Amino acid sequence: AIGKLAEVNELKGVIDLVDFNNEELGTDKEAVDKLSGLVEIFQKPELDFTKNRAGGDDILGDAYEFLMRQPSKTLFHRHLRGKITSVFPSTTAAGITTFLTGLAPQQHAATGWFMHLKELGCVATTLRFQPRCCEASLRRDGVEPNLFFGGQSVFTQMRRQTYSLVPQELFGSDYDSRMNPCPQKLGYSSLPNCLQQLAAILSSRHENTFTYAYWDGIDDLSHRYGTRSIEVIRHLLELSDAFDALVGQLTGADVAI
């Protein structure tokens, strides 16, 4: 059955490599018990993703198309200048690391939220720098972030004052410390708190500065509800209003956002 499935879907040599008669599975009864247990795992109600509306949507790779589906009154529409190509793979981990290093995923090696690390024999949650199975840092296995994440951060290369705003729960994490070594780094607890601190930084500096502010609300809601959900659209409009207010506060300032 698997062989036929592989042939029809042009997956020969991909999904038909498993030998279910392999002696490593044990005796006939042991093999049946193991495979039956595996099937039971995927029959659990909590693994039923049939109602997941995020399937087929990619907020990073399809950001322009996403914006074009929304009401054209937003600040993002008014200031739209064109379409750019996303990194590939267009994942959060790849995109953020590219932004912080200026390197493509092929160079910095952070390709996805989850990555299989064959050297450690585990699947890691990349930006949390921990095994997917638990919350312990990969440091416990002797792996340092500078060995895991390649490239030099843009913050170490800039010849001007830099500032960084990141969610409080990520502040000082292994990834944040390695890839975002900004000397003037602040944590925020909410969107209003983030924009309040951002406005204070931008309105009080007269020399040339660079400020990086990361907000993951759209990305988080898109993963949970899908990019076409009312939750995501509502938050987009909330962001538009909030940034409109920020732009109003900075009227007259020599600032590019």
Side-chain angles (χ1 to χ4, degrees):
I2 292 181
K4 184 64 175 176
L5 185 65
E7 182 180 348
V8 171
N9 292 278
E10 299 183 356
L11 292 173
K12 290 184 69 64
V14 179
I15 66 172
D16 57 346
L17 299 179
V18 179
D19 181 6
F20 291 101
N21 294 317
N22 193 308
E23 293 181 356
E24 293 183 3
L25 289 174
T27 64
D28 290 346
K29 183 179 184 309
E30 290 173 336
V32 170
D33 289 343
K34 289 179 180 179
L35 293 175
S36 297
L38 181 62
V39 171
E40 288 177 2
I41 289 175
F42 287 97
Q43 289 178 334
K44 291 182 178 181
E46 56 266 34
L47 295 181
D48 179 10
F49 299 119
T50 57
K51 297 182 180 179
N52 187 335
R53 291 174 288 171
D57 286 328
D58 178 1
I59 191 62
L60 293 180
D62 297 332
Y64 178 83
E65 288 74 11
F66 164 78
L67 186 61
M68 291 300 97
R69 294 198 303 266
Q70 313 311 324
S72 59
K73 63 181 181 179
T74 72
L75 170 140
F76 307 109
H77 286 85
R78 296 200 305 272
H79 293 274
L80 182 65
R81 291 295 178 267
K83 181 179 180 179
I84 63 174
T85 301
S86 171
V87 296
F88 181 82
S90 54
T91 67
T92 302
I96 292 176
T97 310
T98 289
F99 192 89
L100 291 175
T101 62
L103 299 174
Q106 183 179 3
Q107 280 75 48
H108 62 59
T111 57
W113 183 252
F114 298 118
M115 291 176 57
H116 176 243
L117 306 179
K118 65 178 182 179
E119 295 82 359
L120 301 180
C122 75
V123 174
T125 306
T126 310
L127 300 191
R128 297 188 185 280
F129 199 63
Q130 57 191 214
R132 185 177 183 179
C133 62
C134 57
E135 296 184 357
S137 172
L138 290 173
R139 288 176 181 269
R140 70 173 186 177
D141 295 315
V143 182
E144 293 298 320
N146 63 309
L147 298 176
F148 187 88
F149 301 111
Q152 185 179 10
S153 172
V154 295
F155 289 107
T156 64
Q157 304 175 58
M158 290 191 177
R159 299 294 180 264
R160 61 179 59 190
Q161 187 83 307
T162 59
Y163 298 84
S164 179
L165 287 166
V166 296
Q168 193 64 54
E169 61 268 23
L170 299 180
F171 188 92
S173 66
D174 289 323
Y175 177 87
D176 182 56
S177 299
R178 168 67 179 89
M179 304 310 299
N180 184 1
C182 180
Q184 304 290 335
K185 190 185 322 185
L186 301 170
Y188 61 79
S189 57
S190 63
L191 178 60
N193 182 231
C194 173
L195 296 181
Q196 181 182 28
Q197 294 190 67
L198 183 59
I201 293 172
L202 298 179
S203 61
S204 62
R205 307 296 162 187
H206 301 292
E207 71 278 12
N208 290 333
T209 62
F210 173 81
T211 302
Y212 166 76
Y214 171 62
W215 176 255
D216 66 351
I218 287 281
D219 187 35
D220 177 57
L221 290 172
S222 295
H223 281 297
R224 289 161 57 190
Y225 302 107
T227 60
R228 299 174 186 270
S229 66
I230 187 63
E231 289 85 356
V232 168
I233 296 173
R234 184 184 298 123
H235 187 55
L236 174 71
L237 298 177
E238 178 188 5
L239 279 176
S240 178
D241 291 342
F243 268 93
D244 256 336
L246 176 64
V247 170
Q249 285 180 262
L250 298 174
T251 299
D254 185 15
V255 174
I257 299 179

